[in-house]
Amino acid sequence: MKIGILGAGQLGRMLALAGYPLGFEFAFLDPATEACAAPLGEHLRADYLDLAALEKFCAGIDLATFEFENVPQQAAEFVAARTPLFPAPRALTSGQDRLSEKQMFVAQGIPVPKFAAVSSRIGLEAAAQHTGLPAVLKTRRMGYDGKGQYVLRSAADFDAAWAQLGAQQLILESFVPFEREVSCLAVRGRDGEVKFYPLVQNVHRSGILRTARPRNGDPLQALGEEYARRILQHLDYVGVLAFEFFVADGGLLANEIAPRVHNSGHWSIEGAECSQFENHLRAIAGLPLGSTALRGESLMVNFIGSAPALEAMAALEGVHVHLYGKQPKPLRKIGHATLTAPDSATLEARLRRLEPLLDQDG
Ligand code: AMP
């Protein structure tokens, strides 16, 4: 079976790495010249809206998926009209606009931080009346890794925030003094079978994910699963979905969903019985889903901007290195390592050995 992937970044690369043992082949469509999944399959280098290229892409594959959530809706619909596309275009677009995404959460009875749409400078004042301060001003579209965000601490910040972001459609959210951040990784098959990974605890710095650690027995597991299940059913979703939450006042507030495999699930390659990448492929190919059980303790550390020397990491026990073949660049995710251990004390000891190798960006 040949699977077409819209996007050829590291998520596409890891999908393909998970798919070859199952006998799948891959084709990617991505406009980037340095597409890091390209060595793992056929790469059609074209714009997502190049209809001739999309036609060619669809002609050579059995089914399609995406690893980049900002694939234009028109491209997704074009592909879906020619070949099975999972998740469906509606699921792709549900997370592209932060405003309609939040409205979807509200309609599904899922709590969210206070929010208001902002489309003018005066509207910013009104929105801040509703959310209170501090608040986070965000672009409604195309924001990722903390880009397109401005934290407003007082009215004195409004002008600078507006100067930076005001050219786009915006959303203002109340700043959540969260206790921690967690994500629920869920997978739903073509027959409606659903599985959940244990909740993952995530640490961000400057809006970028730094570490992700799955834990069995989180007291919020059942609630996270319930909220994720509502979205999976609402979107008639097929594949892996990541749902990011803030933990506040002992409950969950929805931040955002990613309709794809997610950085907070990379630990699952070594840390789960079946990784998020293999489970996404199983789901879209109509296979039974694999076990989401943990194999032991694990923790993922992202390499941001640069990565430690491979020789130094290779000398460490329980450290599994993934380099994406991307050029180092400030704030760019260029790889990750998953630490595994039989128990949490050993895991923490292994992290202490890796930490001195990480530079402050990572
Ligand atoms: P996002 O791109 O919306 O996921 O934001 C990236 C990160 O910025 C989140 O994971 C949080 O660490 C932080 N952040 C975003 N929105 C808020 C908020 N409303 N309150 C507090 N922190 C936030």
Side-chain angles (χ1 to χ4, degrees), residues 278-349:
E278 181 175 336
N279 253 335
H280 183 74
L281 297 173
R282 286 181 180 226
I284 66 174
L287 294 168
L289 303 179
S291 166
T292 49
L294 301 188
R295 288 186 189 166
E297 296 285 335
S298 66
L299 168 88
M300 184 225 58
V301 180
N302 266 339
F303 301 145
I304 310 292
S306 64
L310 183 56
E311 290 72 14
M313 289 193 287
L316 300 177
E317 197 179 342
V319 174
H320 309 271
V321 179
H322 299 258
L323 298 172
Y324 306 149
K326 290 163 78 171
Q327 287 302 317
K329 186 176 155 187
L331 301 182
R332 176 182 273 179
K333 288 177 185 166
I334 62 166
H336 75 267
T338 298
L339 281 68
T340 55
D343 55 73
S344 56
T346 311
L347 189 76
E348 272 141 37

Side-chain angles (χ1 to χ4, degrees), residues 98 113 135-136 138 143-147 149 173-178 181 204-208 244 246 255-256:
R98 289 184 191 271
V136 191
K138 300 181 178 179
Y144 68 98
D145 285 349
K147 291 183 184 135
Q149 299 194 12
E173 297 172 16
S174 62
F175 186 91
V176 181
F178 54 79
E181 291 187 87
H204 294 82
R205 208 162 59 238
S206 309
I208 303 179
E244 294 186 81
F246 301 120
N255 179 21
E256 61 180 0

